[in-house]
Amino acid sequence: MITKGLVDIQVNGFGGVDFNDPGITPETLDLALEAMLASGVTTCLPTIITAHRDELEVRFMALDRAVRESRLGPLMCPGYHLEGPFLNPADGFSGCHPANAMTAADPALVTALQEIIERPILLVTVAPEIHGGLEFIKAMRASNRLVSIGHSSADNHIIAAAADAGAGLSTHLGNGLPQILPKLDNPLFAQLAEDRLLATFIADGIHMPPYVLKSLIRAKGFERSALVTDAVAAAAAPAGTYPFAGMQVDRSEDGVVSQSDSSGLAGSSLCLDDAVRNLVRWNIATFEQAVEMASTRLLQALAPVLEAHGVSLALSELEWSQSMNVTRVRIGNEERFF
């Protein structure tokens, strides 16, 4: 079975390497990207999460330098995803993001960060209900960036207004939400119903049970659904303690990743090829549909902003076994056999 390479637009780290680490090097980044290739991912948006401005600047400069000087970074990392600090700081919505670092939606901050790095910030996650949220979405679209809604309490009216302003995705829909929500008028139903939003889901069986994921994808429709990992350094790594954006997170034997001082989830240890297999094994999608949700769907979403920034992706190809394991991966002139 031959397919295109997989695309992960939300990955905070991998293979023991934290992409938010100001000490990241080209060598450690290549270790992470090699591990991602083994999982079938040929294109990714390394993701920087909520932090204070000075921390964001240091983290982005270190990551951008590592991508530029690494062997695989120029092939696999066309740009970045900024998840925060423009999120809802309320309990349940903030997740593991530091609420004290969250701010009003400020396009100038994104502009300032872009000025100190070479590769583009292609995707920004925002809670549209925060101060300046809708104008921020318009500004991001005007600067040729994708906008995703996440860690948000927005109701149906605000979600519709955000889509009007140019928001086009939902970040890990079904997560970044408190346990108790209004019965009907809530951000989950509002985003499921908004046909202009492409919903991304974490298919690890941990962030939500398979039957819930099945219901959400059926409600959203395969054509408006995509897969992400939200992986941290604990992905493709043994159980243990790992760094994540200034925190310590623990990966248990069953794959659960939580903050060392809290029971709350802190990203995932999911590999994207596992997400593909999970959808098939849980009878949610065919293999072809699952691969499409992990590749083609995301390439289509990225295409306009990549073109606007003059970025071209290298050709990629995966070969899968009958048991849905990746046996060969090629991107550009790089080829691996497993």
Side-chain angles (χ1 to χ4, degrees):
M1 297 183 285
I2 306 294
T3 72
K4 293 183 178 180
L6 305 185
V7 180
D8 197 347
I9 64 170
Q10 186 177 10
V11 54
N12 313 283
F14 210 82
V17 180
D18 178 18
F19 296 160
N20 289 253
D21 180 3
I24 192 170
T25 67
E27 293 75 21
T28 56
L29 179 65
D30 270 331
L31 289 175
L33 295 179
E34 284 285 0
M36 293 182 74
L37 280 178
S39 72
V41 172
T42 56
T43 299
C44 68
L45 299 187
T47 302
I48 298 293
I49 72 162
T50 301
H52 296 286
R53 176 170 177 158
D54 58 338
E55 294 171 317
L56 291 173
E57 290 173 347
V58 171
R59 292 174 186 178
F60 262 114
M61 285 191 293
L63 176 61
D64 194 55
R65 185 184 312 113
V67 171
R68 181 176 64 251
E69 298 177 3
S70 65
R71 185 182 72 261
L72 293 172
L75 275 176
M76 295 177 62
C77 307
Y80 308 114
H81 176 180
L82 175 59
E83 186 189 4
F86 319 115
L87 309 178
N88 190 317
D91 287 346
F93 294 105
S94 57
C96 71
H97 292 243
N100 64 359
M102 293 180 186
T103 70
D106 182 9
L109 176 55
V110 180
T111 300
L113 293 171
Q114 186 64 72
E115 288 175 348
I116 61 175
I117 58 178
E118 292 185 6
R119 273 174 170 66
I121 299 171
L122 294 172
L123 172 62
V124 181
T125 291
V126 64
E129 72 276 11
I130 68 172
H131 182 71
L134 297 179
E135 291 305 314
F136 176 85
I137 294 170
K138 294 176 183 178
M140 291 301 97
R141 295 301 296 126
S143 59
N144 295 306
R145 293 181 171 90
L146 295 175
V147 179
S148 190
I149 298 170
H151 295 272
S152 167
S153 68
D155 62 16
N156 178 64
H157 298 293
I158 296 176
I159 294 296
D164 287 341
L169 297 94
S170 296
T171 293
H172 52 49
L173 189 59
N175 297 109
L177 297 171
Q179 292 294 326
I180 298 176
L181 288 170
K183 181 179 179 180
L184 299 176
D185 190 6
N186 63 58
L188 177 57
F189 279 0
Q191 290 178 76
L192 284 173
E194 178 50 71
D195 290 341
R196 290 171 289 180
L197 298 179
L198 172 68
T200 64
F201 296 102
I202 306 170
D204 62 356
I206 295 168
H207 281 74
M208 62 183 74
Y211 75 90
V212 173
L213 180 61
K214 186 174 188 177
S215 298
L216 295 183
I217 291 176
R218 282 185 173 181
K220 193 67 185 178
F222 285 111
E223 70 280 7
R224 300 186 189 92
S225 299
L227 299 178
V228 292
T229 63
D230 197 19
V232 297
T241 301
Y242 296 89
F244 175 30
M247 301 176 277
Q248 293 293 311
V249 298
D250 297 324
R251 183 199 190 280
S252 63
E253 292 288 352
D254 61 1
V256 174
V257 181
S258 58
Q259 291 177 263
S260 298
D261 58 354
S262 167
S263 61
L265 296 177
S268 85
S269 62
L270 181 66
C271 298
L272 200 52
D273 60 333
D274 281 325
V276 168
R277 287 187 288 271
N278 286 342
L279 285 195
V280 179
R281 291 168 179 166
W282 296 337
N283 295 314
I284 295 175
T286 65
F287 173 76
E288 291 76 14
Q289 287 172 324
V291 169
E292 186 174 351
M293 291 168 64
S295 61
T296 309
R297 189 85 71 250
L298 297 153
L299 290 171
Q300 291 169 341
L302 285 169
V305 294
L306 290 173
E307 181 179 3
H309 289 278
V311 178
S312 298
L313 297 179
L315 294 177
S316 68
E317 183 179 82
L318 299 184
E319 187 170 339
W320 303 73
S321 70
Q322 291 300 314
S323 56
M324 299 182 292
N325 291 307
V326 176
T327 58
R328 181 178 65 86
V329 58
R330 179 179 61 81
I331 177 170
N333 294 322
E334 298 281 343
E335 189 170 30
R336 305 286 186 276
F337 294 85
F338 308 104

